[in-house]
Amino acid sequence: MNSERLKDFRQAAYELLVRAKDATFELMDAVMTTRNASCLAEFSLSPVFNRQWPSIYEALQDCRPDRKKLMMLYRQQLEQQVPATEHILVAIDHTAWGRPFAKTLKDRTHEYQGGVIIGQGYSTIAWIPEAQGSWALPLLHERISSGSSPILQAASQLKLVCEQSIHPVLAVLDREYGNANWVLAQADIQADCLMRVRKNACLWSAPPAYSGRGRPRKHGQKMRLNDPTTWLQADTALEIDEHPELGQVRVSQWLDLHFYRAPGQRVNLILVERMKPMSNGQPFPPLWLAWVGERTLPKRNCLV
């Protein structure tokens, strides 16, 4: 990004802050340029923050930016770097913030963080711009209210990104979303999704042809992921003799499966196995993935 383009971007972001623009903008710069801070007031010590420490709290209290317009601004800048025919990669995650002693904090919920805790949950959808590295550029970061859920909030965020994007979208998600609830929630969203699946999950094949008697079946054969004796014959398989990071790898794929509570939503199941054992002689745990979408899974993304 050249200097003129950066200036235009910063000015556009500044205009979207609505109230307390100056203090909020300086606070944003202070946060981005400060390596460590033990408390919020320490950001007032940054050389780019030209105000007294109470202005930090006033900025957070008064500023009410339009997050959707900010997201559109971020997206417009990022999409200039992506070829028109290439998909954009986004990641969605649910983060818990424990607040067990903040009894006056409104709308606390039960969250899971190494056990059930009281606090607040947040849903983040972030743009992953590079195949290598750890850069993640958040597009939306929103609190999950007690009237919603991580899956409903994530679906709402993904839908908004897809509606605004001129590129096809590929979303990657953790095991919390590898289930029927997520498959049903994203059914009407024009995005492809790659989710991790719990190793004890179950999927079903397509039902057999209707026999003409009784109610048509919704499910075929049951496949329990933690029981190899129930596995169906894989539709495709790929072996890589020497992956640069994983060593010898085998990738298997089962087509047109479904979760029990979502029989009308097709899922492609993928198993990634590292053939060489760990240093202690134990095998690596298998990685189960589920692909949902209209397009075929790109081969270059199979082992990301």
Side-chain angles (χ1 to χ4, degrees):
M1 180 180 288
N2 58 46
S3 59
E4 290 302 319
R5 183 179 166 192
L6 178 59
K7 290 179 182 177
D8 292 341
F9 170 75
R10 286 172 61 85
Q11 183 63 37
Y14 171 80
E15 296 297 334
L16 293 176
L17 297 179
V18 187
R19 299 180 59 187
K21 296 180 182 178
D22 294 332
T24 304
F25 205 72
E26 289 184 8
L27 176 58
M28 292 164 56
D29 284 340
V31 171
M32 290 187 291
T33 56
T34 302
R35 292 183 62 90
N36 297 291
S38 58
C39 67
L40 190 60
E42 282 194 22
F43 290 117
S44 65
L45 303 177
S46 171
V48 299
F49 193 82
N50 300 311
R51 301 166 187 274
Q52 299 296 320
W53 66 266
S55 295
I56 292 180
Y57 300 92
E58 292 175 4
L60 294 176
Q61 181 177 359
D62 296 340
C63 182
R64 291 296 183 270
D66 190 321
R67 61 181 183 271
K68 292 183 180 179
K69 290 184 178 180
L70 281 171
M71 187 207 72
M72 292 173 61
L73 176 64
Y74 304 154
R75 179 192 57 77
Q76 290 168 0
Q77 295 293 325
L78 293 166
E79 285 187 339
Q80 295 181 28
Q81 313 299 323
V82 181
T85 58
E86 186 173 339
H87 70 266
I88 60 172
L89 180 65
V90 299
I92 302 176
D93 198 14
H94 165 213
T95 303
W97 184 32
R99 300 299 303 277
F101 304 110
K103 296 183 179 180
T104 60
L105 183 65
K106 294 183 179 180
D107 205 24
R108 291 189 300 170
T109 53
H110 288 88
E111 302 290 332
Y112 185 84
Q113 190 179 59
V116 178
I117 60 173
I118 301 296
Q120 292 180 333
Y122 291 82
S123 180
T124 304
I125 182 168
W127 186 306
I128 311 300
E130 301 174 342
Q132 303 293 331
S134 58
W135 280 102
L137 308 175
L139 296 175
L140 285 172
H141 178 70
E142 299 173 309
R143 188 170 66 83
I144 305 169
S145 69
S146 58
S148 184
S149 69
I151 286 180
L152 292 178
Q153 192 73 34
S156 175
Q157 293 175 325
L158 180 60
K159 182 178 181 180
L160 181 61
V161 170
C162 292
E163 289 175 346
Q164 301 296 333
S165 177
I166 61 175
H167 294 78
V169 176
L170 169 60
V172 291
L173 308 99
D174 209 345
R175 290 180 298 179
E176 185 174 7
Y177 306 87
N179 50 52
N181 289 337
W182 173 253
V183 171
L184 291 171
Q186 62 83 52
D188 297 327
I189 301 175
Q190 298 299 314
D192 299 319
C193 298
L194 182 66
M195 307 89 70
R196 291 186 65 181
V197 181
R198 300 183 188 276
K199 61 182 180 180
N200 62 347
C202 298
L203 287 95
W204 279 258
S205 64
Y210 181 48
S211 64
R213 299 182 61 184
R215 188 181 66 175
R217 293 179 59 183
K218 294 183 178 180
H219 315 289
Q221 184 176 342
K222 183 178 180 179
M223 179 172 170
R224 295 195 295 269
L225 304 192
N226 58 2
D227 185 359
T229 62
T230 66
W231 293 2
L232 305 171
Q233 180 68 32
D235 292 283
T236 58
L238 171 68
E239 291 195 5
I240 301 175
D241 292 333
E242 198 62 38
H243 187 275
E245 297 180 4
L246 306 180
Q248 187 179 5
V249 176
R250 181 170 61 208
V251 182
S252 306
Q253 183 175 212
W254 291 262
L255 304 176
D256 296 337
L257 302 182
H258 63 264
F259 292 102
Y260 187 83
R261 292 194 300 105
Q265 306 299 324
R266 296 185 304 170
V267 173
N268 291 350
L269 182 66
I270 301 164
L271 170 61
V272 181
E273 299 174 283
R274 296 181 64 174
M275 308 310 294
K276 293 182 179 179
M278 294 185 288
S279 57
N280 61 4
Q282 297 295 318
F284 282 96
L287 173 63
W288 290 99
L289 304 169
W291 172 270
V292 178
E294 296 298 327
R295 299 181 301 146
T296 302
L297 179 63
K299 291 184 178 180
R300 65 187 183 91
N301 288 326
C302 286
L303 299 178
V304 171

